[in-house]
C-alpha cells in the first residue's frame, strides 16, 4: 500500500506515542520515531511491529540536541507533520526536580520548533493536559475555561509550551498547530503487545490497581473518601489510550488538509464522563474476577476533587469521539498487566 505520508513522532516509543504510531500505521501513514528511551524500551518497536506488521523507522535521540535533531529531520524534510509527545511526565518528580522538567519539556519543544522552522516543516500536534484547568468552576470543563495557576512544574511546562506555540504561530513561523488536552489516559492495545511501562511504584491509579490485582502490591490506597462526590472519592475522565491515539491522527489530518479555523487550536480529549476512584477499582474487579484490597486514606496533596471534559468541540469540529467503555479500559489494562507479569516469570 502506498503511504499516505510520513509523520514524525517524538516520544513515539512511550505509552501514548506507541499507540498513536499503531493507529497511524494502521491508517496508512509511515512513521519516523524520535525517542531517547529515557522512559521507554526499544522492545516497544517489536510490539508495534507485532500489531501492524511494520517496524517504524527509529532514531534514538534527545530532541533537546538541536544539531542532532536538525540532522535527522533534514533527512525527513518530506514529512507532513510532527506529533510531539517527548516530555517527562511525573508530577511529583517535577516538584523535586523542576529544572530537569523545564529543560526537557520546554527546551525540547523550543529545539523542535527551531528545527521545524529552519527546514520549513509545518503542522505540529502538541500533547497537553487537563491539568491546565486545575479545579474548574464549571463541569464539564470546556476549552474556554480559564487556565489556572499550575499546581506543579510539570503542569506549568504544559501551560508554558502552549503559550510558546501561540507566540510562535502569531509570529508567523508556522501555519498550523493543535494542542490536545488529554484527560486521564488508561488501558492498552487489545493485543497486549504494547502498554504503559511505569517505572517503580506507579503514581497513576490504573497501573496501581492492576499491579494490586496481579499480586504485586498488597492494597490500593484510595486518596480521599470525603470529597463532595456521590461516593466520596475523586472523579476523573478516564480515556482509553487507543481512543486518544486516534484523536492525534484526526487532528493531524485537520492540519494537513488546512481545515483549521485558527492557526492554533485546542481540544479537550476525554470521554465526557466522570468516573470515581472506587468505580475504577470495581471495573478492574469485574474484569479480573477478583475482590481487591483497598483502603481509604488521606487526600493526596495537589489533587483536584473532580474534573471531566466537555468534548463537544472535538466531537463536532474534529469529528472524533471516544468509543471504548470503562470496562474495555480496565480489561485491556488488566491483560497488559497479566502479560507483563507472565513474561517476567
Ligand atoms: P511516556 O513517558 O510513556 O512517553 C514519553 C516518551 O518521550 C518516552 O518514550 C521518553 O523516552 C521520550 N522522551 C522524553 N524526553 C525525551 C527527549 N528529550 N528526547 C527524546 N525522547 C524523549 O509518557 P506518555 O504517557 O506517553 O506521555 C506522552 C505525552 O503526553 C507527554 O508529553 C505527557 O506529558 C503528555 N501527557 C500524558 C498524560 C498521561 O497521563 N500519560 C496526560 C496528559 C499529557
Ligand atoms: C487519578 C485519581 C488520585 C493513585 C495525573 C497528572 C495529570 C495527567 C494524568 C499528565 C486521583 C487517585 C491515584 C492511587 C488513588 N498526567 N489515586 N490512589 O492525578 O488525575 O492526573 O495523571 O499530564 O497531569 O496529575 O491521575 O492516575 O494519578 O489519579 O486514589 O494510588 O486516583 O487521588 O483522584 P491524576 P492519577
Amino acid at each position: 500500500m502506498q503511504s499516505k505520508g510520513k509523520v514524525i513522532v517524538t516520544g513515539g516509543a512511550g505509552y501514548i506515542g506507541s499507540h498513536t504510531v499503531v493507529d497511524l500505521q494502521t491508517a496508512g501513514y509511515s512513521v519516523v520515531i524520535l525517542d531517547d528511551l529515557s522512559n521507554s524500551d526499544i522492545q516497544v518497536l517489536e510490539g508495534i511491529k507485532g500489531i501492524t506488521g511494520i517496524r517504524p523507522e527509529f532514531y534514538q535521540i534527545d530532541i533537546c540536541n538541536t544539531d542532532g535533531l536538525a540532522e535527522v529531520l533534514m533527512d525527513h524534510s518530506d514529512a507532513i507533520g510532527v506529533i510531539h509527545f517527548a516530555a517527562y511526565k511525573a508530577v511529583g518528580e517535577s516538584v523535586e526536580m523542576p529544572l530537569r522538567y523545564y529543560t526537557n519539556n520546554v527546551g525540547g519543544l523550543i529545539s523542535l520548533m527551531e528545527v521545524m522552522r529552519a527546514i520549513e516543516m509545518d503542522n505540529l500536534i502538541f500533547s497537553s493536559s487537563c491539568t491546565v484547568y486545575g479545579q474548574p468552576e464549571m463541569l464539564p470543563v470546556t476549552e474556554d475555561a480559564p487556565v489556572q495557576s499550575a499546581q506543579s512544574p510539570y503542569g506549568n511546562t504544559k501551560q508554558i509550551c502552549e503559550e510558546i506555540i501561540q507566540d510562535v504561530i502569531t509570529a508567523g513561523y508556522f501555519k498550523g498547530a493543535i494542542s490536545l488536552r488529554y484527560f486521564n489516559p488508561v488501558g492498552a492495545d487489545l493485543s497486549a503487545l504494547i502498554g504503559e511501562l511505569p517505572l517503580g511504584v506507579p503514581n497513576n491509579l490504573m497501573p496501581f490497581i492492576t499491579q494490586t490485582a496481579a499480586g504485586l502490591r498488597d492494597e490500593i490506597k484510595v486518596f480521599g473518601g470525603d470529597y463532595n462526590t456521590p461516593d466520596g472519592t475523586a472523579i476523573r475522565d478516564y480515556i482509553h489510550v487507543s481512543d486518544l491515539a486516534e484523536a492525534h491522527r484526526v487532528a493531524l489530518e485537520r492540519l494537513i488538509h488546512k481545515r483549521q479555523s485558527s492557526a492554533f487550536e485546542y481540544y479537550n480529549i476525554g470521554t465526557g464522563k466522570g468516573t470515581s476512584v472506587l468505580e475504577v477499582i470495581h471495573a478492574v474487579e469485574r474484569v479480573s474476577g477478583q475482590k481487591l484490597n483497598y483502603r481509604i486514606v488521606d487526600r493526596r496533596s495537589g489533587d483536584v476533587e473532580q474534573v471531566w471534559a466537555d468534548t463537544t468541540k472535538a466531537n463536532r469540529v474534529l469529528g472524533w469521539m471516544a468509543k471504548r467503555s470503562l470496562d474495555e479500559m480496565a480489561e485491556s489494562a488488566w491483560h497488559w498487566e497479566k502479560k507483563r507479569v507472565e513474561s517476567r516469570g
Side-chain angles (χ1 to χ4, degrees), residues 10-18 34-41 61-64 84-89 104-105 108 126-131 154 158 180-185 196-197 204 244:
T10 75
Y15 173 45
I16 305 168
S18 57
L34 276 52
D35 199 303
D36 64 359
L37 301 180
S38 55
N39 195 36
S40 49
D41 193 293
I61 180 171
D62 176 351
I63 59 156
C64 297
H84 177 46
F85 293 103
Y88 297 148
K89 64 166 179 178
N104 196 48
N105 295 8
F126 176 68
S127 294
S128 189
S129 169
C130 67
T131 186
Y154 167 77
K158 293 297 171 192
L180 299 180
R181 291 173 173 170
Y182 318 155
F183 281 65
N184 287 58
E196 196 170 359
L197 291 169
N204 293 118
L244 173 58

Side-chain angles (χ1 to χ4, degrees), residues 34-342:
L34 276 52
D35 199 303
D36 64 359
L37 301 180
S38 55
N39 195 36
S40 49
D41 193 293
I42 193 73
Q43 281 303 321
V44 168
L45 302 186
E46 296 310 317
I48 294 173
K49 186 175 172 202
I51 301 166
T52 64
I54 306 161
R55 192 180 204 272
E57 196 165 345
F58 174 77
Y59 294 86
Q60 183 169 357
I61 180 171
D62 176 351
I63 59 156
C64 297
N65 167 4
T66 310
D67 292 342
L69 182 66
E71 222 171 280
V72 173
L73 289 192
M74 259 171 339
D75 283 344
H76 296 287
S77 57
D78 55 337
I80 56 176
V82 179
I83 305 183
H84 177 46
F85 293 103
Y88 297 148
K89 64 166 179 178
V91 176
E93 186 184 67
S94 80
V95 176
E96 284 155 30
M97 295 186 232
L99 292 177
R100 181 173 145 83
Y101 274 70
Y102 287 113
T103 303
N104 196 48
N105 295 8
V106 179
L109 175 77
I110 292 172
S111 172
L112 176 65
M113 289 200 301
E114 267 182 3
V115 175
M116 286 178 70
R117 183 193 178 202
I119 64 172
E120 295 180 2
M121 193 178 275
D122 215 336
N123 301 329
L124 176 70
I125 306 290
F126 176 68
S127 294
S128 189
S129 169
C130 67
T131 186
V132 301
Y133 298 120
Q135 177 60 67
E137 274 179 24
M138 302 273 283
L139 287 167
V141 62
T142 69
E143 290 82 353
D144 295 332
V147 165
Q148 303 222 21
S149 173
Q151 291 287 317
S152 68
Y154 167 77
N156 207 20
T157 68
K158 293 297 171 192
Q159 299 187 3
I160 292 170
C161 284
E162 285 193 347
E163 286 171 5
I164 293 174
I165 297 171
Q166 181 62 68
D167 289 346
V168 168
I169 289 265
T170 305
Y173 293 178
F174 296 112
K175 293 188 203 69
I178 290 181
S179 180
L180 299 180
R181 291 173 173 170
Y182 318 155
F183 281 65
N184 287 58
V186 294
D189 187 84
L190 268 183
S191 64
L193 290 173
I194 55 172
E196 196 170 359
L197 291 169
L199 278 180
V201 181
N203 293 309
N204 293 118
L205 180 64
M206 185 63 93
F208 202 99
I209 298 175
T210 56
Q211 289 196 5
T212 309
L216 300 174
R217 318 235 159 249
D218 294 336
E219 63 168 12
I220 303 150
K221 290 189 181 65
V222 175
F223 299 138
D226 57 352
Y227 283 113
N228 185 22
T229 60
D231 67 16
T233 65
I235 291 181
R236 298 287 183 275
D237 185 339
Y238 297 92
I239 173 169
H240 195 296
V241 67
S242 299
D243 279 331
L244 173 58
E246 194 188 309
H248 291 81
R249 174 173 46 81
V250 172
L252 182 66
E253 286 170 347
R254 182 171 169 81
L255 291 182
I256 296 165
H257 300 302
K258 313 222 174 301
R259 297 200 198 105
Q260 312 114 267
S261 48
S262 69
F264 188 29
E265 295 179 336
Y266 306 76
Y267 295 93
N268 285 346
I269 304 294
T271 61
K273 291 189 202 80
T275 304
S276 74
V277 175
L278 290 183
E279 285 171 325
V280 180
I281 294 175
H282 295 323
V284 178
E285 287 185 327
R286 274 194 298 279
V287 300
S288 68
Q290 334 174 23
K291 200 90 199 84
L292 297 176
N293 209 8
Y294 66 83
R295 185 164 54 96
I296 294 184
V297 300
D298 286 348
R299 295 179 180 192
R300 184 172 68 179
S301 127
D303 270 351
V304 300
E305 177 173 274
Q306 43 188 325
V307 62
W308 66 94
D310 183 324
T311 59
T312 311
K313 188 177 173 195
N315 301 159
R316 283 219 198 110
V317 183
L318 293 179
W320 167 91
M321 188 176 277
K323 300 191 233 15
R324 293 157 177 94
S325 66
L326 176 63
D327 277 19
E328 288 174 278
M329 299 178 210
E331 189 162 29
S332 62
W334 171 232
H335 283 160
W336 166 246
E337 190 67 65
K338 269 196 306 191
K339 197 152 177 203
R340 288 188 71 207
V341 170
E342 281 158 19

